[in-house]
Amino acid sequence: MKDLNVLKQLFVFCSLSVILLMADELDDILSYNKNLIFKCDLEHNELESNKLLTSWIKPVILGYNKNITTQFEPTEKTDTYTVSIDQPIFRSGGIYYAMKYAEAYEKTNKAEIILQKRKMAGDAVSILFQLKKNTLLQEKTTYQIDSDKINIHQKREKYKAGLLDSSFLDQSILEKSQNETSLLELKLQQEELLQHFSLLSDKNPMALKLPKLKLISKEYYQNTNLRLQKEQAFAEEVNYQSKITFTKYMPKISLQGKYSKGDLPLIYSSFGRSDLSIKQTYYNYGITISMPIDMNSFSDIEASKVAKLRTKIQVADLKIAINKEYERIRNSLKILDRKIALAKKDEEVYQNLYKLTQNLVKVGEKTSQDIDIMHNSLRIRQVDQEIYKIEKQIQLLKLYARVENVF
């Protein structure tokens, strides 16, 4: 019974903890380093998107050239500075679609990063629920072991009196051994859960009060589902990529410009024509209209259309999967509610039997050991109800971990 008292103290400690983990703040449970990693991922994604957004703008080329020739006497040395651009200003809509693609790219990666963060936070909270369930299972197993000891004692007395076959006593001893082994396995599992939690969070799991999750509406779950948002953003990304592929084979207009300043080569100053005025500082500018003729253009465009169609089908398929996922979790909650109701009925039965046994002890027909066995059975069914409630929370957590915020 000493172990049972320790478990009770642990359970009470967890329940009375003042640090509250809110249902819509699951991310707060992650360690500082984990949160910092996801923050870096979001910043990196934003910067990569900014690069894509302006990728259609060609760089300005700065140049410097120094030339030395011994062809003339004295040796000729020239320095030239240039600034040049070759900038597309029209690509049959390609520039616009490239910018829209960059926005969709950022949305896709952002949804993926947030989804991974919520999943990790959900895993951490799930471990907390499992720790509480483990504590309850240890309490339940301790009650079972206590009843086993009483049962073995009673059967041993009957066996000594020749009123009971040895096989019944052996069975009771075996059950006690199995329950003691189960208790040890639960303690080992608890240590493993604590270790896994420490890899995700730097908080004390015993100093966190678990949230009380409620069933969110089906519409809310569908509209805020991170997996669906990610898939929709990816479909949008592929759609703009398809348009970019098409415009790649359409007419393009580019503007060229060059500014040059440098020394005039000796050959021009010595042998130049008298009717030419050669400048050391000058501009070159022009415009180019081009359109590629590529034998693979048709296949390339059709392949991009197929990819776009595939993403649309994936979005539709995911919507169906999300609906089924929600229904499955809701059905599992209904089953757990039935288990709680059955355990509640059993509790009422054992409550009556417990009172009856107390009365029979008073008249000498039962012993105090019979009261202990009945009390243990009563507590086991009460603990079962708490376990089923934790299992409900674990099911609800699957929904919470797949949306960004809850209310």
Coordinates of all heavy atoms in Angstrom, one line a residue, residues 11 26 36 38 50 59 73 79 82 94 114 121 138 172 195 210 223 275 308-309 328 330 378 392:
F11 N -0.3 11.9 -8.2 CA -1.5 12.3 -8.9 C -2.1 13.6 -8.4 O -2.5 14.5 -9.2 CB -2.6 11.2 -8.8 CG -3.8 11.5 -9.6 CD1 -3.9 11.3 -10.9 CD2 -5.0 11.9 -8.9 CE1 -5.0 11.5 -11.7 CE2 -6.1 12.2 -9.7 CZ -6.2 11.9 -11.0
L26 N -0.5 25.1 -27.4 CA 0.3 23.9 -27.3 C 1.7 24.1 -27.6 O 2.6 23.4 -27.0 CB -0.3 22.8 -28.2 CG -1.8 22.4 -28.0 CD1 -2.1 21.3 -29.0 CD2 -2.0 21.9 -26.6
L36 N 13.2 28.0 -31.2 CA 14.1 28.8 -32.0 C 14.4 28.2 -33.3 O 14.5 28.9 -34.3 CB 15.4 28.9 -31.2 CG 16.4 29.9 -31.7 CD1 15.8 31.3 -31.6 CD2 17.7 29.9 -30.8
F38 N 12.2 26.4 -35.2 CA 11.1 26.7 -36.0 C 11.0 28.1 -36.4 O 10.6 28.5 -37.5 CB 9.8 26.2 -35.3 CG 9.6 24.8 -35.3 CD1 9.6 24.1 -34.1 CD2 9.3 24.1 -36.5 CE1 9.4 22.7 -34.1 CE2 9.1 22.7 -36.5 CZ 9.2 22.0 -35.3
N50 N 11.2 35.9 -50.6 CA 11.5 37.3 -51.1 C 12.5 37.2 -52.3 O 12.4 38.0 -53.3 CB 12.1 38.1 -50.0 CG 11.1 38.5 -48.9 OD1 9.9 38.4 -49.2 ND2 11.6 38.8 -47.7
P59 N 20.3 41.1 -62.5 CA 21.3 41.9 -61.8 C 21.9 43.0 -62.7 O 22.1 42.8 -63.9 CB 22.3 40.9 -61.3 CG 22.2 39.8 -62.2 CD 20.8 39.7 -62.6
E73 N 54.4 52.1 -79.3 CA 55.5 52.8 -78.5 C 55.1 54.2 -78.2 O 54.9 55.0 -79.2 CB 56.8 52.8 -79.3 CG 58.0 53.3 -78.5 CD 58.3 52.4 -77.3 OE1 58.2 51.2 -77.4 OE2 58.7 53.0 -76.3
D79 N 42.0 51.9 -69.1 CA 41.1 51.5 -68.1 C 39.7 51.8 -68.5 O 39.4 52.9 -69.0 CB 41.4 52.2 -66.8 CG 42.8 51.9 -66.2 OD1 42.8 50.8 -65.5 OD2 43.8 52.6 -66.5
T82 N 32.4 49.9 -66.8 CA 31.1 49.7 -67.4 C 30.0 49.3 -66.4 O 30.2 48.7 -65.4 CB 31.2 48.5 -68.5 OG1 31.5 47.3 -67.8 CG2 32.2 48.8 -69.6
G94 N 4.6 36.1 -67.7 CA 5.5 35.3 -66.9 C 6.0 36.0 -65.7 O 6.2 35.3 -64.6
I114 N 4.6 25.1 -39.7 CA 3.7 25.2 -38.6 C 3.1 23.8 -38.3 O 2.9 23.5 -37.1 CB 2.5 26.2 -39.0 CG1 3.1 27.6 -39.1 CG2 1.5 26.2 -37.9 CD1 2.1 28.7 -39.6
A121 N 4.6 19.7 -30.8 CA 3.9 20.1 -29.6 C 2.9 19.1 -29.2 O 2.7 18.8 -28.0 CB 3.3 21.5 -29.8
Q138 N -0.8 2.4 -12.9 CA 0.0 1.9 -11.8 C -0.9 1.8 -10.5 O -0.8 0.9 -9.7 CB 1.2 2.8 -11.5 CG 2.3 2.7 -12.5 CD 3.6 3.5 -12.1 OE1 4.0 3.3 -11.0 NE2 4.1 4.3 -13.0
S172 N -4.0 -18.1 -8.7 CA -3.9 -16.8 -7.9 C -2.5 -16.3 -7.8 O -2.2 -15.1 -8.0 CB -4.5 -17.0 -6.5 OG -5.9 -17.3 -6.6
Q195 N 11.8 10.5 -20.5 CA 13.0 10.8 -21.4 C 12.6 11.4 -22.7 O 13.2 12.3 -23.2 CB 13.8 9.5 -21.6 CG 15.0 9.6 -22.5 CD 15.7 8.3 -22.8 OE1 15.2 7.3 -22.5 NE2 16.9 8.4 -23.3
L210 N -2.6 19.7 -17.2 CA -3.1 19.4 -18.6 C -4.3 20.2 -19.0 O -5.2 20.5 -18.1 CB -3.4 17.9 -18.7 CG -2.1 17.0 -18.6 CD1 -2.6 15.5 -18.5 CD2 -1.3 17.2 -19.9
N223 N -11.8 23.7 -42.0 CA -11.4 25.0 -42.6 C -10.0 25.4 -42.1 O -9.3 26.3 -42.7 CB -12.4 26.1 -42.2 CG -13.8 25.9 -42.8 OD1 -13.9 25.2 -43.9 ND2 -14.8 26.3 -42.2
D275 N 36.4 62.0 -89.8 CA 35.0 62.3 -89.9 C 34.2 61.6 -88.7 O 33.0 61.6 -88.7 CB 34.4 61.8 -91.2 CG 34.6 60.3 -91.4 OD1 35.5 59.8 -90.8 OD2 33.9 59.7 -92.2
K308 N -0.6 19.9 -62.5 CA -1.6 20.8 -61.9 C -2.9 20.0 -61.6 O -3.5 20.1 -60.5 CB -2.0 21.9 -62.8 CG -3.0 22.9 -62.3 CD -3.1 24.1 -63.1 CE -3.8 23.8 -64.5 NZ -4.1 25.0 -65.2
L309 N -3.3 19.1 -62.5 CA -4.5 18.3 -62.3 C -4.3 17.3 -61.1 O -5.2 17.1 -60.3 CB -4.8 17.5 -63.6 CG -6.0 16.5 -63.5 CD1 -7.3 17.2 -63.2 CD2 -6.1 15.7 -64.8
R328 N -14.0 9.3 -37.5 CA -13.3 8.2 -36.8 C -13.1 8.6 -35.3 O -13.3 7.8 -34.4 CB -12.1 7.7 -37.4 CG -11.3 6.6 -36.7 CD -10.0 6.3 -37.4 NE -9.1 7.4 -37.4 CZ -8.4 7.8 -36.3 NH1 -8.5 7.1 -35.2 NH2 -7.6 8.8 -36.4
R330 N -14.5 11.0 -33.7 CA -15.8 11.3 -33.0 C -16.4 9.9 -32.6 O -17.0 9.8 -31.5 CB -16.7 12.0 -33.9 CG -18.0 12.5 -33.2 CD -18.8 13.6 -33.9 NE -19.2 13.2 -35.2 CZ -19.9 14.0 -36.0 NH1 -20.2 15.2 -35.6 NH2 -20.3 13.5 -37.2
L378 N -13.9 -1.6 -6.2 CA -14.6 -0.3 -6.3 C -13.6 0.7 -6.9 O -14.0 1.5 -7.8 CB -15.2 0.1 -5.0 CG -15.8 1.5 -5.0 CD1 -17.0 1.6 -5.9 CD2 -16.2 1.9 -3.5
K392 N -9.9 9.8 -24.0 CA -10.7 10.8 -24.8 C -9.8 12.0 -25.1 O -9.9 12.5 -26.2 CB -11.9 11.2 -24.0 CG -13.0 10.1 -24.0 CD -14.3 10.7 -23.3 CE -14.9 11.9 -24.0 NZ -16.1 12.4 -23.5

